[in-house]
Amino acid sequence: LMSQRRRSSSGSSQPYPKRRKVDNSQDDNPYYDDSEYYPGSVLRVKLRNFVTYDKVEFFPGPKLNVVIGPNGTGKSTIVCALALGLGGKPSILGRSKDPKEFIKYGHDSALIEIELKGKRNKNNLLIRREIHRDDSDNWYIGNHKTNRKEVVAAVFKYNIQVSNLCQFLPQDRVASFAQMNAKLLLKETEKAVGGEKMYNDHMTLVEKKRSVLNTDKTREEREKILISEKEKNESLEREVQRFQEREKYKKEIERIKKKKPWLTYNLQKVKLREIKNRQNMNEQQLQDAMAITAPLREQMEELNYELETLDRQIGEKKKAVSRLEASRKSQSHKSHKLLEEIDMFKDKLENLKDEERDFKRQILDMENKIESYKSKLADLADEEEIKIQYQELQVRRNEIRKQQDEEAFKVSEIKDRKRDIYNKIKSLERDLAQLDDFQHRRYQTLRRHNSQAARTYEWIRRNQESFEHRVFGPLALEVNVPNPQHAKFLEQSIPNTYMYCFIPQSRRDYQVLQSFREREGVKINIVNMSNPGGNYPHPIPKENLRQFHIHHYLDEVFDSDPLIKEVLCSQVGIHLVGIGTNDTESDKRLLEHVPLDRFFTPMNEFRKKRSKYGNRETSTTVMQIRNAKIFTGVNLERKRKLEQQLAELKSHYKLLEEEERQSQSTNTREEEMEINSKLRQIASVNKQRKSYIDRIKTSEKQLSQMHMKDVEKEEEKINIVIKKKNLLRVKINTSIYETLKQYATILFSLNTESITRIQKVIVHKSMQLDYERHSLEEKKFQNEKRELKKEMEREMGIAREMKIRAIKELPQDQLPEYDEYPDDIDELEKLLQNFISKVKSIMINNPGAMEEYERRQEKIQKLEEDLAKQEEEIENAMQEIENIEGRWLPEINRIISRINEKFSEYFANIGCGGEVHLDSEDPDYDNWGVEIRVKFRKEDQLRRLDSHVQSGGERSVATMLYLISLQDMTKCPFRLVDEINQGMDPHNERMIFDQVVEASCKPNLPQYFLITPKLLRNLKYTPDITILCIFNGPWQPSKWPLEKKLGEYLKSAANGS
């Protein structure tokens, strides 16, 4: 392989400066100096037993290297050597996939050695690869043995990408590059021009966008499930509320029952403390009693001895006195009895005289009394009339009581009806409150999505007086969409610019709001509607759209101020958007003929776009409907019905209150009190009547007895008896006198001893009383002590059992958790009975509703958590997509724009037309691509580069010019194209060669390899072009005459010399 610099057009040749010796290089380049090479350029290539070569070494130039030679001599082998030697895989060559297939036939190993220009002030990079048939592969960097991974890393530092077709285009990949679609071309361009970071950003956008779409699809499916589950649970809420209320009361009952044993136990402890106090008091009392009885016992024993002596003496004298006393008493008794009898008879005489006078007076008084009773009895009302009146009053009172019972039952019924209506009123008020809370929730959503619009909204609310008219906005808060499906259509149709815009109604209000925007630096859109009143008719009558199942336009499905609708019609064009059904898109043939440019179905949005080129064909873009996040409307019809029901119930409630007041009449109670008073009066009269009759009978009987007495006969009998008894009494008194003399002598002595004894007995009795009293107390205290001990043991046993039961019901450490309940057992019992009554009053129709509700509620909660997490993931992913796109899209647009400038310039230079632009209409980043449009004749229109439109040669021209357009933008140290001119006509081949020369031989540009089997005559060359001619085969000279110029040798060879 010989290298020769081409002569300039003037015919003179350029000198070849010597290349300095560098580290790791084995041979000097005889033609160039290192300083002319771009870092990473190929300085030297050495091959041994590789494909067609036994051994070869060549030195490429720093600019354009044109590698020529007959077919089969090994041009493409150089391409393979560069690819495999720099860490590339065999697959990028489009040939064999096994490295050992590149070993020359008949040999066991092959060698590739490549020397690359090092970076500034750095040694050159020498890479060596040894390929063996036993599948072993040896890699070296310099003299250091390494592996492919480290070689690839070292090469990548120079931005060498042998796998990028825009940088390294082997012969067998030329056709595939020309047929490369726009998507793949974009990715290869990114790798070649933008580097790995730009390509990775693109791939990240593709991956994240796909992830967002998948997550959004999953989220929509979960939302449908969530709505279904919520609807199912709403039907059970009433029954669940009753069940929860009943269970709540049952739990309260259980908690009260758990605390009740502790209150009972506490009462028992109080009782034990009382018994203990009584025991302590009893013990003290017993000790006090025992301290008193012991001394009294000793003193009583001494007095008993003295009394016994006196009793013997007194006893003897008493016997004598007794005998005399008995005699005296007998006689005195007789005398006294006689005297009493005499006095009695005298009293009778006197009494008889007094009785005579009294009888007469008493008879007169009794007669007057009887007459008085009879007069009063006559003055009383007639007994029969009173009896009749009494019976009538009794009947009337029974009637009144029956009426009162009926009124009480009616009032009870009214109260029950009032209670039911009151509960319905509260339920409706809660439903209305939930509907009224919708606007607040939508405002919170606004704050999350656009804080600056929310801030402006708050400022307008606080400063209403600063405006002439109402300022509408943000628009998101001014629109109510009752139908959730329509809400998704409207939200997808309105750009954020108008979703959060503000609409003043006068020029002055517009200026006030604009001043606030400039002063506060908020980014808001202000729509000037100071001259409203535009007309926005529908493009096609709805009657003509019914065949396509389109029944509404988008401006008909929401409620708002007319000014808001005018803004949306004028700025967004919602009056031009139709709303169809599933039937609209079910028939694909019908779908194609829908006369609207934009319409919705329940699942998709359809947008038709007419091309500006060619036949102006129409393309339809189908986009999936996103769920609404802001336009979740209030059902105004339901709200109106709820308000109407509420008003009717309140009116009915007032009527029941009035009916209740009328039913609670006080007339019957007053009448009953009056009847009771009359009945008491009648009873009093009857009592008086009976009393007078009884008194008259008694008085008449007494009067009859008075008339039966005879006083004079009784007086005579009494005087005779008195005389007899006086004579007998004189005899008895004389005998008594004699007895008394004897009695007085003995009695005097006896009295003296008796007085002494009495004194001692009194003392003894006193002591004995004290002793007995204290002994009784002592016994009482001892008995009390025994009883208290038994009672204490009994109550202690009861207390222990109570505590065991209480702990079993409720551990003591949990007792503070029940402080909410009364500590008084009576109050606790009342509370318990109250809850039991409430439980009995609640009837459960579906016992399994609660379990079903709770199970579904857990599912709803899990779905809501998953949805919130997915929404957050989507929001984060969209934010990340926005951030990545923010740095990737401007850069790729800049690159495509520069490529387009160069591509158009190069095509203009060859008298043709071409342009390159980024195809970014598809929302999926993976479908974005580089679209190439070309024309090779002036009369033609620019058409997309396509194998069905352009010839193979034309495609090769476009491909080569596209690669040349990348030349100024790539940072790679060399570029290689293998036989790109295959299939070109001479005219195109010459034009392409000229463009390659012009593009690659400028200053500060990297190395270029152009592989070709032939060159046209009379091409334009520059001194920067290096021609590498391959002469390979069995007929090789033993030594090439390097001292001669290659051109001279070739010329002489052509002349046969």
Side-chain angles (χ1 to χ4, degrees), residues 506-538:
S506 68
R507 183 66 183 172
R508 180 184 175 279
D509 289 350
Y510 178 86
Q511 292 172 350
V512 171
L513 195 55
Q514 189 177 34
S515 298
F516 168 76
R517 179 175 64 182
E518 294 172 354
R519 182 175 67 255
E520 299 295 329
V522 292
K523 296 180 181 180
I524 58 171
N525 182 27
I526 306 173
V527 179
N528 187 1
M529 292 297 290
S530 55
N531 295 311
N535 185 23
Y536 301 96
H538 296 144

Short mmCIF file of all heavy atoms in Angstrom, two decimals, residues 506-538:
data_model
loop_
_atom_site.label_atom_id
_atom_site.label_comp_id
_atom_site.label_asym_id
_atom_site.label_seq_id
_atom_site.Cartn_x
_atom_site.Cartn_y
_atom_site.Cartn_z
N SER A 506 -63.64 46.40 30.93
CA SER A 506 -63.46 47.78 30.45
C SER A 506 -61.98 48.04 30.26
O SER A 506 -61.12 47.32 30.79
CB SER A 506 -64.04 48.77 31.47
OG SER A 506 -63.27 48.77 32.67
N ARG A 507 -61.69 49.10 29.50
CA ARG A 507 -60.29 49.45 29.23
C ARG A 507 -59.56 49.83 30.51
O ARG A 507 -58.41 49.45 30.73
CB ARG A 507 -60.24 50.62 28.23
CG ARG A 507 -58.84 51.03 27.82
CD ARG A 507 -58.17 49.92 27.04
NE ARG A 507 -56.79 50.26 26.69
CZ ARG A 507 -55.94 49.41 26.15
NH1 ARG A 507 -56.34 48.18 25.90
NH2 ARG A 507 -54.72 49.77 25.86
N ARG A 508 -60.25 50.57 31.38
CA ARG A 508 -59.62 50.98 32.64
C ARG A 508 -59.31 49.78 33.53
O ARG A 508 -58.22 49.68 34.11
CB ARG A 508 -60.55 51.94 33.39
CG ARG A 508 -59.98 52.43 34.72
CD ARG A 508 -60.97 53.30 35.47
NE ARG A 508 -60.44 53.64 36.78
CZ ARG A 508 -60.49 52.83 37.85
NH1 ARG A 508 -61.05 51.64 37.73
NH2 ARG A 508 -59.98 53.21 39.01
N ASP A 509 -60.26 48.82 33.62
CA ASP A 509 -60.02 47.62 34.42
C ASP A 509 -58.85 46.82 33.85
O ASP A 509 -58.06 46.23 34.59
CB ASP A 509 -61.27 46.75 34.47
CG ASP A 509 -62.37 47.38 35.31
OD1 ASP A 509 -62.08 48.39 35.99
OD2 ASP A 509 -63.51 46.88 35.28
N TYR A 510 -58.74 46.82 32.52
CA TYR A 510 -57.62 46.11 31.88
C TYR A 510 -56.29 46.75 32.31
O TYR A 510 -55.32 46.04 32.63
CB TYR A 510 -57.79 46.17 30.37
CG TYR A 510 -56.67 45.52 29.59
CD1 TYR A 510 -56.68 44.16 29.32
CD2 TYR A 510 -55.58 46.27 29.13
CE1 TYR A 510 -55.65 43.55 28.62
CE2 TYR A 510 -54.54 45.68 28.44
CZ TYR A 510 -54.57 44.31 28.18
OH TYR A 510 -53.54 43.72 27.50
N GLN A 511 -56.26 48.08 32.34
CA GLN A 511 -55.01 48.77 32.72
C GLN A 511 -54.68 48.54 34.19
O GLN A 511 -53.51 48.37 34.56
CB GLN A 511 -55.16 50.27 32.44
CG GLN A 511 -55.25 50.59 30.95
CD GLN A 511 -55.59 52.05 30.67
OE1 GLN A 511 -55.94 52.79 31.59
NE2 GLN A 511 -55.50 52.46 29.41
N VAL A 512 -55.71 48.51 35.07
CA VAL A 512 -55.46 48.25 36.51
C VAL A 512 -54.85 46.87 36.69
O VAL A 512 -53.87 46.68 37.42
CB VAL A 512 -56.77 48.37 37.31
CG1 VAL A 512 -56.56 47.89 38.75
CG2 VAL A 512 -57.27 49.81 37.30
N LEU A 513 -55.42 45.87 36.01
CA LEU A 513 -54.92 44.51 36.14
C LEU A 513 -53.53 44.37 35.52
O LEU A 513 -52.67 43.66 36.05
CB LEU A 513 -55.90 43.54 35.47
CG LEU A 513 -55.74 42.04 35.80
CD1 LEU A 513 -55.79 41.82 37.31
CD2 LEU A 513 -56.83 41.23 35.13
N GLN A 514 -53.31 45.07 34.41
CA GLN A 514 -51.98 45.03 33.77
C GLN A 514 -50.92 45.66 34.67
O GLN A 514 -49.79 45.17 34.77
CB GLN A 514 -52.04 45.74 32.42
CG GLN A 514 -50.79 45.57 31.56
CD GLN A 514 -50.93 46.23 30.22
OE1 GLN A 514 -51.57 47.27 30.11
NE2 GLN A 514 -50.37 45.63 29.20
N SER A 515 -51.29 46.73 35.38
CA SER A 515 -50.35 47.37 36.32
C SER A 515 -49.99 46.41 37.44
O SER A 515 -48.82 46.31 37.86
CB SER A 515 -50.97 48.65 36.89
OG SER A 515 -51.22 49.57 35.86
N PHE A 516 -50.97 45.69 37.94
CA PHE A 516 -50.69 44.70 39.00
C PHE A 516 -49.74 43.62 38.47
O PHE A 516 -48.81 43.20 39.16
CB PHE A 516 -52.00 44.07 39.45
CG PHE A 516 -51.82 42.86 40.32
CD1 PHE A 516 -51.45 42.97 41.66
CD2 PHE A 516 -51.99 41.58 39.79
CE1 PHE A 516 -51.26 41.84 42.44
CE2 PHE A 516 -51.79 40.46 40.57
CZ PHE A 516 -51.44 40.60 41.90
N ARG A 517 -49.98 43.15 37.24
CA ARG A 517 -49.11 42.11 36.67
C ARG A 517 -47.67 42.60 36.55
O ARG A 517 -46.74 41.87 36.90
CB ARG A 517 -49.65 41.70 35.29
CG ARG A 517 -48.81 40.63 34.59
CD ARG A 517 -49.43 40.17 33.30
NE ARG A 517 -49.50 41.26 32.32
CZ ARG A 517 -50.03 41.15 31.10
NH1 ARG A 517 -50.56 39.99 30.73
NH2 ARG A 517 -50.07 42.18 30.27
N GLU A 518 -47.48 43.84 36.08
CA GLU A 518 -46.12 44.36 35.93
C GLU A 518 -45.48 44.64 37.28
O GLU A 518 -44.29 44.40 37.49
CB GLU A 518 -46.16 45.64 35.09
CG GLU A 518 -46.61 45.39 33.65
CD GLU A 518 -46.83 46.69 32.88
OE1 GLU A 518 -46.74 47.77 33.51
OE2 GLU A 518 -47.10 46.63 31.66
N ARG A 519 -46.30 45.14 38.22
CA ARG A 519 -45.75 45.49 39.55
C ARG A 519 -45.35 44.26 40.34
O ARG A 519 -44.28 44.22 40.98
CB ARG A 519 -46.81 46.29 40.32
CG ARG A 519 -46.33 46.74 41.70
CD ARG A 519 -47.36 47.63 42.37
NE ARG A 519 -48.57 46.92 42.71
CZ ARG A 519 -49.73 47.03 42.05
NH1 ARG A 519 -49.82 47.84 41.01
NH2 ARG A 519 -50.79 46.33 42.42
N GLU A 520 -46.17 43.22 40.31
CA GLU A 520 -45.91 42.03 41.11
C GLU A 520 -45.12 40.97 40.36
O GLU A 520 -44.67 39.99 40.97
CB GLU A 520 -47.23 41.41 41.58
CG GLU A 520 -48.07 42.32 42.45
CD GLU A 520 -47.38 42.62 43.78
OE1 GLU A 520 -46.63 41.76 44.26
OE2 GLU A 520 -47.60 43.72 44.31
N GLY A 521 -44.97 41.14 39.03
CA GLY A 521 -44.19 40.18 38.27
C GLY A 521 -44.86 38.83 38.11
O GLY A 521 -44.18 37.81 38.00
N VAL A 522 -46.18 38.79 38.14
CA VAL A 522 -46.89 37.52 37.99
C VAL A 522 -47.11 37.24 36.50
O VAL A 522 -47.35 38.14 35.71
CB VAL A 522 -48.25 37.55 38.73
CG1 VAL A 522 -48.03 37.60 40.21
CG2 VAL A 522 -49.11 38.72 38.28
N LYS A 523 -47.00 35.98 36.13
CA LYS A 523 -47.18 35.57 34.74
C LYS A 523 -48.62 35.11 34.54
O LYS A 523 -48.96 33.97 34.80
CB LYS A 523 -46.20 34.46 34.40
CG LYS A 523 -44.75 34.90 34.46
CD LYS A 523 -43.79 33.76 34.11
CE LYS A 523 -42.35 34.20 34.19
NZ LYS A 523 -41.41 33.11 33.85
N ILE A 524 -49.46 36.06 34.12
CA ILE A 524 -50.88 35.74 33.87
C ILE A 524 -51.27 36.28 32.50
O ILE A 524 -50.65 37.22 31.98
CB ILE A 524 -51.80 36.36 34.96
CG1 ILE A 524 -51.62 37.89 35.03
CG2 ILE A 524 -51.53 35.73 36.31
CD1 ILE A 524 -52.62 38.58 35.90
N ASN A 525 -52.29 35.70 31.93
CA ASN A 525 -52.81 36.14 30.63
C ASN A 525 -54.06 36.99 30.87
O ASN A 525 -54.96 36.58 31.59
CB ASN A 525 -53.14 34.93 29.77
CG ASN A 525 -53.64 35.36 28.38
OD1 ASN A 525 -53.30 36.43 27.89
ND2 ASN A 525 -54.44 34.51 27.76
N ILE A 526 -54.10 38.19 30.29
CA ILE A 526 -55.24 39.09 30.42
C ILE A 526 -55.89 39.22 29.04
O ILE A 526 -55.23 39.62 28.08
CB ILE A 526 -54.82 40.47 30.96
CG1 ILE A 526 -54.03 40.31 32.27
CG2 ILE A 526 -56.02 41.36 31.16
CD1 ILE A 526 -53.44 41.62 32.77
N VAL A 527 -57.15 38.87 28.97
CA VAL A 527 -57.89 38.95 27.71
C VAL A 527 -58.73 40.22 27.72
O VAL A 527 -59.57 40.40 28.61
CB VAL A 527 -58.78 37.71 27.51
CG1 VAL A 527 -59.54 37.81 26.20
CG2 VAL A 527 -57.92 36.45 27.53
N ASN A 528 -58.51 41.09 26.76
CA ASN A 528 -59.23 42.36 26.69
C ASN A 528 -60.56 42.14 25.99
O ASN A 528 -60.62 41.84 24.80
CB ASN A 528 -58.38 43.39 25.93
CG ASN A 528 -59.02 44.77 25.97
OD1 ASN A 528 -60.09 44.96 26.58
ND2 ASN A 528 -58.39 45.74 25.34
N MET A 529 -61.65 42.27 26.75
CA MET A 529 -62.99 42.11 26.20
C MET A 529 -63.82 43.36 26.46
O MET A 529 -64.95 43.31 26.89
CB MET A 529 -63.66 40.88 26.81
CG MET A 529 -63.03 39.55 26.40
SD MET A 529 -63.16 39.23 24.65
CE MET A 529 -64.90 38.95 24.47
N SER A 530 -63.20 44.51 26.24
CA SER A 530 -63.92 45.76 26.49
C SER A 530 -65.00 46.02 25.46
O SER A 530 -65.89 46.84 25.66
CB SER A 530 -62.91 46.93 26.51
OG SER A 530 -62.17 46.95 25.30
N ASN A 531 -64.95 45.30 24.29
CA ASN A 531 -65.98 45.47 23.25
C ASN A 531 -66.55 44.09 22.88
O ASN A 531 -66.28 43.55 21.80
CB ASN A 531 -65.38 46.14 22.01
CG ASN A 531 -64.92 47.56 22.27
OD1 ASN A 531 -65.68 48.36 22.84
ND2 ASN A 531 -63.68 47.87 21.89
N PRO A 532 -67.32 43.50 23.78
CA PRO A 532 -67.88 42.18 23.49
C PRO A 532 -69.05 42.27 22.51
O PRO A 532 -69.44 43.37 22.08
CB PRO A 532 -68.34 41.70 24.87
CG PRO A 532 -68.67 42.95 25.60
CD PRO A 532 -67.72 44.01 25.10
N GLY A 533 -69.60 41.13 22.18
CA GLY A 533 -70.80 41.12 21.34
C GLY A 533 -70.59 40.46 20.00
O GLY A 533 -71.39 40.64 19.09
N GLY A 534 -69.49 39.68 19.85
CA GLY A 534 -69.26 39.00 18.59
C GLY A 534 -70.23 37.86 18.35
O GLY A 534 -70.81 37.31 19.28
N ASN A 535 -70.38 37.50 17.08
CA ASN A 535 -71.28 36.41 16.71
C ASN A 535 -70.44 35.21 16.27
O ASN A 535 -69.56 35.35 15.42
CB ASN A 535 -72.20 36.86 15.56
CG ASN A 535 -73.24 35.80 15.23
OD1 ASN A 535 -73.56 34.98 16.09
ND2 ASN A 535 -73.74 35.82 14.01
N TYR A 536 -70.73 34.06 16.88
CA TYR A 536 -69.93 32.87 16.60
C TYR A 536 -70.87 31.71 16.27
O TYR A 536 -71.17 30.87 17.11
CB TYR A 536 -69.05 32.53 17.80
CG TYR A 536 -68.12 33.66 18.16
CD1 TYR A 536 -68.46 34.56 19.17
CD2 TYR A 536 -66.93 33.84 17.47
CE1 TYR A 536 -67.63 35.62 19.49
CE2 TYR A 536 -66.08 34.90 17.79
CZ TYR A 536 -66.44 35.79 18.79
OH TYR A 536 -65.61 36.82 19.10
N PRO A 537 -71.35 31.67 15.03
CA PRO A 537 -72.29 30.60 14.65
C PRO A 537 -71.55 29.27 14.48
O PRO A 537 -70.33 29.22 14.28
CB PRO A 537 -72.84 31.09 13.31
CG PRO A 537 -71.73 31.94 12.75
CD PRO A 537 -71.07 32.59 13.92
N HIS A 538 -72.31 28.20 14.57
CA HIS A 538 -71.74 26.87 14.36
C HIS A 538 -71.49 26.67 12.87
O HIS A 538 -72.28 27.12 12.03
CB HIS A 538 -72.69 25.79 14.88
CG HIS A 538 -72.88 25.88 16.36
ND1 HIS A 538 -74.09 25.61 16.97
CD2 HIS A 538 -72.03 26.22 17.34
CE1 HIS A 538 -73.96 25.77 18.28
NE2 HIS A 538 -72.73 26.15 18.53
#
